[in-house]
Amino acid sequence: MPPTASPAPRVTVLAGGVGGARLAHGLARALPADALDVVVNVGDDTELHGLHISPDVDTVLYTLAGLNDEDRGWGLRGETYATLEQMSRLGEDTWFTLGDKDLATHVVRTARLRAGATASEVTAQLATALGVGARVRPVTDDRVATLVDTPAGRLAFQEYFVRRRHADAVLGLHYDGVEAARPAPGVLDAVTGADVVVVAPSNPFLSVEPVLAVPGVREAVRATAARRVAVSPIVGGQAVKGPAAQILETLGHEVSALGVARLYVGLVDVMVVDDADAGLAGAIGDLGFEVVVTDTVMGGAEGRERLARELLSAAGHPVP
């Protein structure tokens, strides 16, 4: 009799931003849909023009659905901006770019939230409508807002990140509301019941920490029997995308894959670093990690899937 194929590992990825969405996409290509959970940051959620906008959740949804704008990394492919142009004509401040199709997502989310649905329920409905098979979970249904301390004062996340183009030095971060937040249904089970937990190459401070800071999540990551793998978002001393390098520096951390690894001591078993950082493998290993050196700059869909498969192999769960 032919050998029985091993079941696909259950994988949970902690994600935020473009890097998180792209690695989640690679994992979705490598795994059956029912084997993947994506737990997503909501600290950058905002309300504009009366609409509830959840940028990280939407970036994950659009990327998994194959609808995202690959050039920008966020938003929908083939967007138009007639509504935004008319809003500007009517006197609205339109510093936050919203495309016409993207606005439909925010209108639907806002209406359903106001009708009493939770963020988790709305996200599951949107995922189904977009043809996303993986379970995409906001880390919490409660309000958590990332606030950024800068020389100009404390800024709301999108004020810092979009309006001011993350040009301000980050002196500190505050996750408003996180102490009272509860993990959304299924989040803790997704972590403790996984075979592999992946910390995506997301900004450790703006995307990963707002997930871990929700009470119970960090503890679940520490306690899970899953193999835990993290990918450094810093390659050759620079961030692949976004302000991670600047924040590491201004908060007093080394701007390197080693600096990132120090943040994940006790949370992760395997650190994955880029070929450009092979010289740091020994120092990272001395922190207690297994170290995998590979090409972590994912590029398109095939590169994302390649990296996803390498992560699963490093975790002891190769997939065919």
Side-chain angles (χ1 to χ4, degrees):
M1 295 180 63
T4 303
S6 300
R10 296 164 297 172
V11 178
T12 295
V13 56
L14 310 184
V18 175
R22 287 176 172 171
L23 184 54
H25 183 220
L27 288 162
R29 286 172 57 92
L31 294 164
D34 62 358
L36 180 62
D37 285 84
V38 188
V39 177
V40 189
N41 167 50
V42 296
D44 61 351
D45 283 19
T46 191
E47 184 168 307
L48 288 170
H49 314 301
L51 300 176
H52 185 104
I53 300 169
S54 193
D56 276 4
V57 169
D58 291 342
T59 297
V60 169
L61 288 173
Y62 296 161
T63 303
L64 290 176
L67 301 173
N68 61 304
D69 185 324
E70 287 289 341
D71 292 333
R72 293 185 302 179
W74 52 271
L76 286 157
R77 187 171 60 251
E79 268 288 15
T80 55
Y81 299 93
T83 303
L84 199 70
E85 291 165 3
Q86 184 67 7
M87 289 170 65
S88 180
R89 182 178 181 182
L90 295 174
E92 284 292 297
D93 190 345
T94 55
W95 57 271
F96 193 94
T97 302
L98 295 168
D100 296 324
K101 292 187 287 186
D102 190 34
L103 271 165
T105 300
H106 310 319
V107 169
V108 168
R109 173 184 286 113
T110 303
R112 291 176 180 175
L113 290 173
R114 289 177 180 168
T118 65
S120 293
E121 291 167 343
V122 175
T123 300
Q125 292 164 356
L126 293 172
T128 298
L130 294 173
V132 174
R135 292 173 292 274
V136 179
R137 305 181 187 273
V139 65
T140 180
D141 289 331
D142 299 317
R143 176 191 170 276
V144 173
T146 298
L147 304 177
V148 185
D149 290 329
T150 75
R154 178 167 284 184
L155 304 175
F157 179 81
Q158 297 300 344
E159 179 82 11
Y160 154 77
F161 193 78
V162 177
R163 190 166 199 166
R164 299 170 69 96
R165 301 179 184 273
H166 50 78
D168 299 87
V170 175
L171 306 179
L173 292 157
H174 177 68
Y175 310 106
D176 188 50
V178 77
E179 297 87 355
R182 296 167 296 173
V187 165
L188 296 185
D189 288 343
V191 173
T192 59
D195 297 305
V196 182
V197 172
V198 177
V199 180
S202 303
N203 189 304
F205 307 100
L206 301 181
S207 297
V208 178
E209 183 57 28
V211 171
L212 295 173
V214 172
V217 176
R218 190 188 310 273
E219 294 78 6
V221 173
R222 283 184 173 141
T224 184
R227 290 280 285 168
R228 303 163 301 177
V229 183
V231 184
S232 173
I234 300 294
V235 174
Q238 297 182 337
V240 175
K241 193 173 182 67
Q246 299 99 302
I247 297 175
L248 279 163
E249 182 177 9
T250 59
L251 294 185
H253 302 280
E254 181 177 319
V255 184
S256 69
L258 176 59
V260 174
R262 289 177 178 137
L263 298 173
Y264 294 149
V265 170
L267 288 172
V268 169
D269 306 300
V270 182
M271 270 307 295
V272 180
V273 302
D274 192 76
D275 293 322
D277 296 308
L280 297 173
I284 294 172
D286 289 342
L287 295 174
F289 297 103
E290 295 178 30
V291 184
V292 173
V293 179
T294 187
D295 177 7
T296 64
V297 181
M298 291 173 275
E302 291 182 1
R304 298 167 194 175
E305 182 177 350
R306 171 198 54 77
L307 180 59
R309 290 179 178 277
E310 289 182 13
L311 302 186
L312 296 175
S313 293
H317 292 279
V319 293

